[in-house]
Structures are given as C-alpha cells and as structure tokens.
Amino acid sequence: MTLSLTVHRGTQQIGGSCIEIRHPEGSRLILDAGRPLDAPEGASGLLPDSLDRGGSATVLISHPHQDHWGLLGEIPSDWPVWTGAGSAKLISITADVTRRPLNREMRTWDSRSGPFAVGPFTVTPYLTDHSAFDAYMLLVEGAGKRLLYTGDFRRHGRKSVLVDRLMANSPRDIDALLIEGTNLGTNKPVKREEDLETDFVGLFQRTKGRVFVAWSGQNIDRTVTIYRAAKRTGRTLVIDLYTADVLDRIASETGLPHAGFPNFKVVVTSGLKNYYVKNGREDFVTRMAKDGVSASALVNGPYVIMLRRTLLRDFESKGVVPDANDAFNFSMWRGYLSDAHHANPLEWCRKGGAEIAYIHTSGHAAPTDLRAFAAAIKPKLVVPVHGMKWDEESAGFGDVRRLGDGQTLVLP
Ligand SMILES: [Zn+2]
Ligand SMILES: [Zn+2]
C-alpha cells in the first residue's frame, strides 16, 4: 500500500491548480485550490468534480497567486488550510479588495520552520523564487514515499539562490516530482531581475520628465527592482495606497522598501483613500499620508509613478497628465494588454506623447532551468502540471508520467 496522486486540474492548463495526495489509510492532502485563469468574474462552483468533498482533507497553498488559492471559498469550511505566513497576509488582502472575503482561519508555516506533521504525512516547505512573494515548493512524505511539488518557480529572480541551493543539495530519493511548465514552448523573455534593474536605470536616465510604470503591487521583486533603479538615478518612487498596504503588512520582518524609506513616497488619491476609510482603515491612510505626497505634487518632478487604471481619474483631476517628456513602461505579461484594465493606462500615456517601453521578465522558469531542475532532483517519475505544451516538450525531463485531469496514479 502506497501513496496515490490525482491532479484534479492542471495537467493540460496553466492555473486552477488542484492536486490530491492520498495516504493508504485514507488521509488526504490537497496541494493548492486554484481558480482557473479564464474563469468569468463572479463565477462559482468551479472546484473540479473529481475532488471528493465528502470526508476530510487538509489543504496546503503553495503561494499567494489566485490560480493557486482562489477557490478556497468553495472548500468545505472544516478542512484545515495551511500556507506561508507572508502568503496568508497577501491572500487576505486580495480576498478583501476583490470583495470575496475568506471567512476562515489559515494555519501558517514559517519559512525556517522545517518539516511539520499533517496526520500521517510530513510536509517540508522550501521557500523559492517566483514573482509571488513567499512562494514555496513542498516536499510531502508518507507511507514510505517522497513527493516534491514545485508550485510555481523561476531561477532568475532576486531569490534564485534558493533554487540553486535546493538543486545543489536536493532531497534524496524523490519518487515523484510534480513540476510546473508554464514557459515550455514559449519565447517569453527570461532575463535576470538584476538585469531589469539596469534596463530601468537606462530608461530613467534618458527620460527628461516622469516615468509612469504599471506592475503588480504583489510582485515584490519588481517593486524592489524599480525602487533600486529610482534611487540609483536620483528619482523618487511613488506607489499607490494598495501597494503601500501590501508592503506595510509584510515589510516589517524583511527590510523591504516601505513608507518612510528615502526616495520613496505613497500617493494619497481620493478613490483609494475612500476605499480604505470605508473599510475602517482610516488609521492606515493617516499613517501613509505622513510620508506621502498628494497627486497634485506629481504635476512634474523626478518621479517614477506607479500607474493603474483606477488612478487615472484621480491623476487627471489634479492635472497629472503625461506629455512628450515622459515615459511609460508596462512591466507585466504582454498578454494582459488585451484587457482594458491594463490597456487603458498605456493608451493614456501614448495619447500624451510619452515614450512607451517594455521592461519585464517572466515570473516562471525558462525551459532550460525547468529541465536542469528535474535533472538535479533525479526523481523516479516526473508528473507534469501547470503547462500547456507538456505533450510537445516533455523530452529532457526523465521518466515523464503524463496524466489527465482527475486520473489517479498509484506511486509504484
Ligand atoms: Zn500559477
Ligand atoms: Zn504563481
């Protein structure tokens, strides 16, 4: 009798991840309960049918991207949920702003805590490198078997050393490696985050006016990259209240940039201010305003200004409008530009005559790094997840066991 493994969703797609590991005694672990990326706004009933909600199970969330936790609200309320301490904070911020409050306690592991027991399983979280903050790989041991789940990862971000270290000193005798394959079969730019910093320095130096930048407030690596480039060029980085909230909740233990740092300001705009006041967070706004700027101060000056659609109206009403001296950089996956939410800020800057730049790198590992990772772990079996091109691109990964969604593999 041994462990069995079911990928409920993710064998043929990116996102919506949900993986079950069953112990011969009947205990179950669910790795991630992700919302499919193409799920319509407001849709519910999205958990895979093959996931049995009778009986109990424990859920482990690898990192705070919605395609890995966004269906937690549909998980039976008596199933315990575990995640990293930083992840738990970011998940609750997103649940609040998307108005889908979680209404459940999350148990948290510490990145230095080492292995812990969940029923008959032993779980070891490994902090890893990804565009999400506080992302983990998970080693699961039980019934004499060892399974490593990569979650989402990369090897070119600010924490790439964590992946290098795991590869150099990898857990032995892995029976199955569940590995993501987002970037297989794509030509997405994969540059080191440090090299992006140099590119931003170049953009900031050659631009006479302000530089508007659109990026995800939860992509902490990118916030650090842009902040460092701003400092190196004598500019001040201006972030919005939402991104300030993210940093405020996680920065205390980490030394990440936050309100009060040099060359760093929070812009207090009426839309976001009203949102926080309405949610009983007036004290937070007051605290941020102490080291903040008003939108009207951004009419000109050596600023790098975070931009998102919800800020446009507040900026315009204060006379903050891009012109030919300014530049705009989109620092997210290009595919998002098909959505007005992301396209509008770019169009707003283009209309004003600003230079349009694209400095970005993927949050996921390059194909060569995926293969190198599998080679370093030397698992008996490789089970592909979180990818669209596994059928064409599985060469170089060792003994690949291709599953369909909902199909169960009993570990040999
Ligand atoms: Zn993902
Ligand atoms: Zn992710």
Side-chain angles (χ1 to χ4, degrees), residues 112 277 363:
R112 296 142 294 187
V277 170

Side-chain angles (χ1 to χ4, degrees), residues 62-68 130-132 135 151-153 180 363-364 386:
S62 62
H63 68 282
H65 277 157
Q66 287 195 68
D67 63 315
H68 295 259
H130 182 39
S131 47
D152 290 355
F153 78 107
E180 72 119 310
H364 299 269
H386 204 282

Side-chain angles (χ1 to χ4, degrees), residues 5-20 30-40 43-51 53 66-72 74-75 149 178 383-387 402-407:
L5 161 71
T6 309
V7 181
H8 291 293
R9 191 188 280 126
T11 62
Q12 321 289 330
Q13 72 190 72
I14 294 165
S17 302
C18 185
I19 297 159
E20 173 174 332
I30 310 298
L31 312 181
D32 289 335
R35 191 177 176 81
L37 291 168
D38 57 1
S44 61
L46 297 170
L47 271 183
D49 291 336
S50 55
L51 175 63
R53 269 149 276 178
Q66 287 195 68
D67 63 315
H68 295 259
W69 67 264
L71 296 184
L72 275 182
E74 297 187 12
I75 292 282
Y149 172 46
L178 281 147
V383 178
V385 293
H386 204 282
R402 196 77 178 95
L403 298 178
D405 282 0
Q407 187 187 340

Side-chain angles (χ1 to χ4, degrees), residues 76-119:
S77 55
D78 58 337
W79 290 12
V81 177
W82 285 83
T83 191
S87 285
K89 292 177 188 169
L90 293 178
I91 287 171
S92 65
I93 293 181
T94 306
D96 288 349
V97 298
T98 55
R99 296 189 173 80
R100 287 198 297 259
L102 276 180
N103 300 328
R104 68 192 302 154
E105 285 288 310
M106 276 182 281
R107 306 178 188 189
T108 59
W109 61 69
D110 184 273
S111 58
R112 296 142 294 187
S113 61
F116 60 95
V118 180

Side-chain angles (χ1 to χ4, degrees), residues 284-316:
F284 162 71
V285 177
T286 309
R287 209 150 47 75
M288 291 302 117
K290 261 199 314 189
D291 296 300
V293 281
S294 61
S296 52
L298 307 178
V299 172
N300 54 50
Y303 292 114
V304 175
I305 303 168
M306 175 171 229
L307 197 60
R308 59 175 83 242
R309 184 163 78 163
T310 49
L311 296 172
L312 298 184
R313 199 192 300 177
D314 281 329
F315 280 170
E316 259 179 7

